C-alpha cells in the first residue's frame, strides 16, 4: 500500500510537470506565431505604402517613418509581453515543482513514520508473544 501510494504520488508529479512543460511550450509557440504574423502584416503594410506611386516622396517618407516607429514600438511591446509571460511561466513552473517536491517529501516522511509505527508494533507483538 505504501509503495503504491508512493508510485501514485510520483506519477501525479510527473504528469503535472509534463502538463506544465507542454503548456509552457504551447504558450511560447503561440507567442512566436503571433509575433511572426504581426511582423508580416507590418511588412505588407510597409510595402503597400512604398509602392504607391501616386504619393509624394515626402508623404511616403513621413508615413514610412511613422510605420517604422510603430513597428519598433509594437515589437518592443510584443517582446516585453513575451518576456513577462515567459518569466511568469518560469515562476509558475518553479512554484509547481517546489510544491510537488514538498508534497513528495511530506508523503515520504509520512510513509516512513507509518512504516516505523508498523515495525514497532510488530516488535511489540513479537516480544509479547515470546514472553507468553
Amino acid at each position: 500500500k505504501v509503495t503504491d501510494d508512493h508510485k501514485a504520488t510520483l506519477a501525479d508529479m510527473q504528469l503535472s510537470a509534463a502538463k506544465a512543460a507542454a503548456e509552457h511550450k504551447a504558450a511560447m509557440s503561440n507567442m512566436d506565431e503571433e509575433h511572426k504574423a504581426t511582423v508580416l502584416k507590418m511588412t505588407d503594410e510597409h510595402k503597400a505604402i512604398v509602392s504607391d506611386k501616386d504619393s509624394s516622396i515626402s508623404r511616403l517618407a513621413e508615413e514610412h517613418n511613422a510605420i517604422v516607429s510603430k513597428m519598433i514600438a509594437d515589437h518592443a511591446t510584443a517582446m516585453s509581453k513575451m518576456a513577462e509571460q515567459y518569466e511568469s511561466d518560469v515562476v509558475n513552473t518553479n512554484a509547481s515543482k517546489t510544491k510537488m517536491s514538498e508534497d513528495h517529501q511530506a508523503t515520504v516522511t509520512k510513509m516512513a513514520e507509518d512504516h516505523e509505527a508498523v515495525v514497532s508494533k510488530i516488535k511489540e507483538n513479537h516480544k509479547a508473544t515470546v514472553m507468553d
Side-chain angles (χ1 to χ4, degrees):
K1 170 97 176 98
V2 171
T3 300
D4 289 343
D5 288 348
H6 187 243
K7 286 180 183 176
T9 299
L10 283 176
D12 287 345
M13 289 171 56
Q14 289 171 339
L15 182 62
S16 293
K19 182 180 176 188
E23 288 173 356
H24 175 72
K25 183 178 179 180
M28 292 304 292
S29 177
N30 186 42
M31 286 189 286
D32 185 49
E33 290 301 319
E34 288 175 5
H35 178 256
K36 287 177 184 175
T38 300
V39 170
L40 287 174
K41 181 179 179 249
M42 286 186 218
T43 300
D44 289 345
E45 290 172 357
H46 178 260
K47 285 179 182 177
I49 289 171
V50 171
S51 68
D52 182 7
K53 295 178 183 179
D54 296 332
S55 298
S56 69
I57 291 176
S58 176
R59 185 178 63 83
L60 284 173
E62 289 173 13
E63 289 181 15
H64 176 264
N65 289 339
I67 288 171
V68 170
S69 294
K70 184 178 182 322
M71 286 171 58
I72 291 168
D74 288 351
H75 183 265
T77 299
M79 292 304 294
S80 177
K81 286 179 182 177
M82 286 179 6
E84 288 172 12
Q85 183 62 49
Y86 176 78
E87 289 173 16
S88 175
D89 289 346
V90 168
V91 167
N92 291 339
T93 299
N94 288 341
S96 178
K97 285 180 182 178
T98 299
K99 171 128 179 46
M100 286 187 291
S101 180
E102 290 168 354
D103 290 350
H104 176 256
Q105 186 59 47
T107 300
V108 169
T109 299
K110 175 76 170 105
M111 287 168 45
E113 290 169 356
D114 291 349
H115 178 261
E116 188 61 36
V118 169
V119 169
S120 292
K121 188 171 183 177
I122 290 170
K123 285 180 181 179
E124 288 174 21
N125 288 341
H126 178 72
K127 186 176 180 180
T129 302
V130 170
M131 295 301 239
D132 284 345

